[in-house]
Amino acid sequence: MTAGGFVLVVDDDADVRTLVAELLRRAGYRVMEAPDGRVALRALYEEQPDLVLLDISMPELDGWATLERIRELSDVPVVMLSALGAELEKVRALRGGADDYVTKPFGRQELLARIESVLRRAPSPEVREGYRDSYLEVDFAQRRVRAGTADVELTPLEYRLLSAFVDHPRQLLAHGQLLELVWGGERGSSRDQVKLYVGYLRRKLEAAGVPGGAIETVRGFGYRYSPPA
């Protein structure tokens, strides 16, 4: 990370995007610009910024949809930008996984202060011992998952879900527990999303040779990961 960090600025208004990018560069940040949500998601995957500054009102893939997709892919801090200053909009952003919300027009120093504050609050990577059982090997330091000799490629959300299971082997994890452990409990997530992502995770593990029943569905309650004793 550079002295100020690396910020991805996403806004379909070229004038606003250029103004914000120049402000950040003068403050010591490295900056990448994206004119819409689709370009932003590609940049997020390829460049891995330290923070995303995301406008809400954009054509095609708007800020809400982009934020939802970002949260499926990454834990990167996100600051939303919008001309809509209503309390409900701010609440929606925060519950959707945004770290802060700045209303347009904004003061330059306020924007810089908000970005600095969010970056300070961003957690440092946690160094953990690895996990191993008869099915899986998880290297938490490298975020690497192997089943036998095969690497298992997981999205960040799938990885958090697997981490929750291997942190609690053979324990029944209720839907609410998984929502808290994986989604943070405040992203408008639901039991349906838990079911959906458990399905994604199962399919990837099965493709690598892990039996489908390793993640057991306990109907009406939740799920249990049961590696061989």
Side-chain angles (χ1 to χ4, degrees), residues 1 50 75-77 99 117-128 140-141 143 159:
M1 184 187 297
D50 300 310
D75 293 318
V76 64
D99 296 85
S117 177
V118 169
L119 287 173
R120 282 198 305 270
R121 296 197 307 265
S124 301
E126 180 183 5
V127 179
R128 302 174 54 189
F140 292 108
R143 284 186 163 237
Y159 176 82

mmCIF file of all heavy atoms in Angstrom, residues 1 50 75-77 99 117-128 140-141 143 159:
data_model
loop_
_atom_site.group_PDB
_atom_site.id
_atom_site.type_symbol
_atom_site.label_atom_id
_atom_site.label_comp_id
_atom_site.label_asym_id
_atom_site.label_seq_id
_atom_site.Cartn_x
_atom_site.Cartn_y
_atom_site.Cartn_z
ATOM 1 N N MET A 1 0.846 -1.193 0.000
ATOM 2 C CA MET A 1 0.000 0.000 0.000
ATOM 3 C C MET A 1 0.881 1.243 0.000
ATOM 4 O O MET A 1 1.883 1.313 0.704
ATOM 5 C CB MET A 1 -0.904 -0.006 1.256
ATOM 6 C CG MET A 1 -1.897 1.127 1.317
ATOM 7 S SD MET A 1 -2.797 1.186 2.916
ATOM 8 C CE MET A 1 -3.643 -0.372 2.881
ATOM 9 N N ASP A 50 -7.558 -0.663 -2.114
ATOM 10 C CA ASP A 50 -7.734 -0.641 -0.656
ATOM 11 C C ASP A 50 -9.101 -0.100 -0.268
ATOM 12 O O ASP A 50 -9.570 -0.348 0.846
ATOM 13 C CB ASP A 50 -6.652 0.235 -0.012
ATOM 14 C CG ASP A 50 -5.259 -0.271 -0.313
ATOM 15 O OD1 ASP A 50 -5.020 -1.482 -0.123
ATOM 16 O OD2 ASP A 50 -4.411 0.522 -0.747
ATOM 17 N N ASP A 75 -14.169 -8.055 0.755
ATOM 18 C CA ASP A 75 -14.432 -7.295 1.972
ATOM 19 C C ASP A 75 -13.852 -5.877 1.890
ATOM 20 O O ASP A 75 -13.750 -5.191 2.909
ATOM 21 C CB ASP A 75 -13.820 -8.009 3.183
ATOM 22 C CG ASP A 75 -14.506 -9.328 3.477
ATOM 23 O OD1 ASP A 75 -15.738 -9.378 3.399
ATOM 24 O OD2 ASP A 75 -13.802 -10.311 3.788
ATOM 25 N N VAL A 76 -13.452 -5.445 0.698
ATOM 26 C CA VAL A 76 -12.837 -4.128 0.547
ATOM 27 C C VAL A 76 -13.770 -3.037 1.098
ATOM 28 O O VAL A 76 -14.991 -3.098 0.903
ATOM 29 C CB VAL A 76 -12.505 -3.856 -0.947
ATOM 30 C CG1 VAL A 76 -13.772 -3.786 -1.796
ATOM 31 C CG2 VAL A 76 -11.697 -2.576 -1.111
ATOM 32 N N PRO A 77 -13.241 -2.047 1.823
ATOM 33 C CA PRO A 77 -14.087 -0.945 2.299
ATOM 34 C C PRO A 77 -14.721 -0.183 1.132
ATOM 35 O O PRO A 77 -14.074 0.051 0.113
ATOM 36 C CB PRO A 77 -13.113 -0.042 3.065
ATOM 37 C CG PRO A 77 -11.989 -0.947 3.459
ATOM 38 C CD PRO A 77 -11.863 -1.936 2.337
ATOM 39 N N ASP A 99 -19.343 1.005 4.038
ATOM 40 C CA ASP A 99 -18.688 1.414 5.281
ATOM 41 C C ASP A 99 -18.981 2.860 5.640
ATOM 42 O O ASP A 99 -18.842 3.247 6.795
ATOM 43 C CB ASP A 99 -17.172 1.206 5.149
ATOM 44 C CG ASP A 99 -16.816 -0.258 4.985
ATOM 45 O OD1 ASP A 99 -16.845 -0.750 3.834
ATOM 46 O OD2 ASP A 99 -16.535 -0.910 5.988
ATOM 47 N N SER A 117 -10.762 7.852 7.646
ATOM 48 C CA SER A 117 -11.384 7.175 8.773
ATOM 49 C C SER A 117 -11.726 5.729 8.443
ATOM 50 O O SER A 117 -11.475 4.811 9.234
ATOM 51 C CB SER A 117 -12.649 7.927 9.197
ATOM 52 O OG SER A 117 -13.309 7.254 10.251
ATOM 53 N N VAL A 118 -12.295 5.504 7.255
ATOM 54 C CA VAL A 118 -12.656 4.145 6.854
ATOM 55 C C VAL A 118 -11.412 3.270 6.713
ATOM 56 O O VAL A 118 -11.397 2.115 7.150
ATOM 57 C CB VAL A 118 -13.467 4.175 5.540
ATOM 58 C CG1 VAL A 118 -13.608 2.773 4.961
ATOM 59 C CG2 VAL A 118 -14.844 4.779 5.784
ATOM 60 N N LEU A 119 -10.356 3.807 6.132
ATOM 61 C CA LEU A 119 -9.126 3.034 5.969
ATOM 62 C C LEU A 119 -8.495 2.708 7.320
ATOM 63 O O LEU A 119 -7.937 1.619 7.499
ATOM 64 C CB LEU A 119 -8.139 3.786 5.089
ATOM 65 C CG LEU A 119 -8.474 3.824 3.595
ATOM 66 C CD1 LEU A 119 -7.522 4.739 2.852
ATOM 67 C CD2 LEU A 119 -8.436 2.419 2.996
ATOM 68 N N ARG A 120 -8.585 3.625 8.282
ATOM 69 C CA ARG A 120 -8.059 3.339 9.622
ATOM 70 C C ARG A 120 -8.820 2.214 10.287
ATOM 71 O O ARG A 120 -8.248 1.422 11.045
ATOM 72 C CB ARG A 120 -8.122 4.591 10.513
ATOM 73 C CG ARG A 120 -7.032 5.604 10.265
ATOM 74 C CD ARG A 120 -6.911 6.564 11.434
ATOM 75 N NE ARG A 120 -8.169 7.227 11.743
ATOM 76 C CZ ARG A 120 -8.558 8.382 11.218
ATOM 77 N NH1 ARG A 120 -7.774 8.990 10.340
ATOM 78 N NH2 ARG A 120 -9.714 8.939 11.551
ATOM 79 N N ARG A 121 -10.143 2.150 10.034
ATOM 80 C CA ARG A 121 -10.970 1.130 10.680
ATOM 81 C C ARG A 121 -10.840 -0.235 10.013
ATOM 82 O O ARG A 121 -11.250 -1.239 10.585
ATOM 83 C CB ARG A 121 -12.451 1.530 10.650
ATOM 84 C CG ARG A 121 -12.775 2.776 11.430
ATOM 85 C CD ARG A 121 -14.266 2.867 11.699
ATOM 86 N NE ARG A 121 -15.094 2.757 10.519
ATOM 87 C CZ ARG A 121 -15.557 3.786 9.827
ATOM 88 N NH1 ARG A 121 -15.234 5.028 10.188
ATOM 89 N NH2 ARG A 121 -16.341 3.602 8.771
ATOM 90 N N ALA A 122 -10.319 -0.253 8.784
ATOM 91 C CA ALA A 122 -10.230 -1.526 8.061
ATOM 92 C C ALA A 122 -9.328 -2.477 8.825
ATOM 93 O O ALA A 122 -8.216 -2.122 9.219
ATOM 94 C CB ALA A 122 -9.673 -1.289 6.654
ATOM 95 N N PRO A 123 -9.779 -3.706 9.099
ATOM 96 C CA PRO A 123 -8.989 -4.641 9.893
ATOM 97 C C PRO A 123 -7.731 -5.089 9.175
ATOM 98 O O PRO A 123 -7.710 -5.225 7.947
ATOM 99 C CB PRO A 123 -9.950 -5.817 10.119
ATOM 100 C CG PRO A 123 -10.887 -5.743 8.964
ATOM 101 C CD PRO A 123 -11.054 -4.280 8.651
ATOM 102 N N SER A 124 -6.682 -5.301 9.941
ATOM 103 C CA SER A 124 -5.465 -5.869 9.383
ATOM 104 C C SER A 124 -5.680 -7.358 9.139
ATOM 105 O O SER A 124 -6.446 -7.999 9.855
ATOM 106 C CB SER A 124 -4.287 -5.685 10.360
ATOM 107 O OG SER A 124 -4.076 -4.315 10.625
ATOM 108 N N PRO A 125 -5.019 -7.899 8.132
ATOM 109 C CA PRO A 125 -5.180 -9.333 7.872
ATOM 110 C C PRO A 125 -4.808 -10.155 9.094
ATOM 111 O O PRO A 125 -3.782 -9.928 9.727
ATOM 112 C CB PRO A 125 -4.215 -9.590 6.700
ATOM 113 C CG PRO A 125 -4.025 -8.255 6.058
ATOM 114 C CD PRO A 125 -4.123 -7.249 7.161
ATOM 115 N N GLU A 126 -5.650 -11.122 9.418
ATOM 116 C CA GLU A 126 -5.424 -11.970 10.585
ATOM 117 C C GLU A 126 -4.583 -13.167 10.187
ATOM 118 O O GLU A 126 -4.863 -13.851 9.211
ATOM 119 C CB GLU A 126 -6.773 -12.447 11.137
ATOM 120 C CG GLU A 126 -6.649 -13.336 12.350
ATOM 121 C CD GLU A 126 -8.004 -13.843 12.806
ATOM 122 O OE1 GLU A 126 -9.003 -13.571 12.122
ATOM 123 O OE2 GLU A 126 -8.053 -14.536 13.846
ATOM 124 N N VAL A 127 -3.515 -13.410 10.959
ATOM 125 C CA VAL A 127 -2.658 -14.552 10.709
ATOM 126 C C VAL A 127 -3.147 -15.710 11.574
ATOM 127 O O VAL A 127 -3.193 -15.611 12.792
ATOM 128 C CB VAL A 127 -1.184 -14.228 11.020
ATOM 129 C CG1 VAL A 127 -0.319 -15.458 10.780
ATOM 130 C CG2 VAL A 127 -0.700 -13.066 10.166
ATOM 131 N N ARG A 128 -3.538 -16.795 10.945
ATOM 132 C CA ARG A 128 -4.090 -17.933 11.668
ATOM 133 C C ARG A 128 -3.341 -19.199 11.287
ATOM 134 O O ARG A 128 -2.756 -19.298 10.210
ATOM 135 C CB ARG A 128 -5.573 -18.109 11.334
ATOM 136 C CG ARG A 128 -6.438 -16.935 11.636
ATOM 137 C CD ARG A 128 -7.860 -17.152 11.138
ATOM 138 N NE ARG A 128 -8.422 -18.393 11.639
ATOM 139 C CZ ARG A 128 -9.582 -18.900 11.209
ATOM 140 N NH1 ARG A 128 -10.276 -18.267 10.277
ATOM 141 N NH2 ARG A 128 -10.027 -20.027 11.705
ATOM 142 N N PHE A 140 -4.805 -20.381 5.881
ATOM 143 C CA PHE A 140 -5.455 -19.099 6.118
ATOM 144 C C PHE A 140 -4.560 -17.927 5.740
ATOM 145 O O PHE A 140 -5.051 -16.887 5.309
ATOM 146 C CB PHE A 140 -5.882 -18.987 7.582
ATOM 147 C CG PHE A 140 -6.988 -19.927 7.964
ATOM 148 C CD1 PHE A 140 -6.739 -21.025 8.765
ATOM 149 C CD2 PHE A 140 -8.277 -19.728 7.501
ATOM 150 C CE1 PHE A 140 -7.753 -21.903 9.112
ATOM 151 C CE2 PHE A 140 -9.300 -20.602 7.834
ATOM 152 C CZ PHE A 140 -9.039 -21.691 8.642
ATOM 153 N N ALA A 141 -3.256 -18.079 5.898
ATOM 154 C CA ALA A 141 -2.341 -16.983 5.563
ATOM 155 C C ALA A 141 -2.381 -16.665 4.073
ATOM 156 O O ALA A 141 -2.363 -15.503 3.671
ATOM 157 C CB ALA A 141 -0.924 -17.324 5.998
ATOM 158 N N ARG A 143 -4.906 -17.803 2.072
ATOM 159 C CA ARG A 143 -6.294 -17.974 1.613
ATOM 160 C C ARG A 143 -6.362 -19.045 0.529
ATOM 161 O O ARG A 143 -7.004 -18.884 -0.517
ATOM 162 C CB ARG A 143 -6.883 -16.655 1.102
ATOM 163 C CG ARG A 143 -7.256 -15.700 2.219
ATOM 164 C CD ARG A 143 -7.972 -14.475 1.720
ATOM 165 N NE ARG A 143 -8.653 -13.789 2.814
ATOM 166 C CZ ARG A 143 -9.946 -13.521 2.841
ATOM 167 N NH1 ARG A 143 -10.708 -13.884 1.834
ATOM 168 N NH2 ARG A 143 -10.492 -12.903 3.863
ATOM 169 N N TYR A 159 -15.305 -18.535 0.586
ATOM 170 C CA TYR A 159 -14.190 -18.808 1.490
ATOM 171 C C TYR A 159 -14.584 -18.538 2.940
ATOM 172 O O TYR A 159 -14.254 -19.315 3.843
ATOM 173 C CB TYR A 159 -12.983 -17.951 1.091
ATOM 174 C CG TYR A 159 -11.796 -18.080 2.022
ATOM 175 C CD1 TYR A 159 -10.904 -19.140 1.892
ATOM 176 C CD2 TYR A 159 -11.577 -17.145 3.026
ATOM 177 C CE1 TYR A 159 -9.823 -19.267 2.743
ATOM 178 C CE2 TYR A 159 -10.499 -17.259 3.882
ATOM 179 C CZ TYR A 159 -9.625 -18.322 3.738
ATOM 180 O OH TYR A 159 -8.553 -18.443 4.597
#
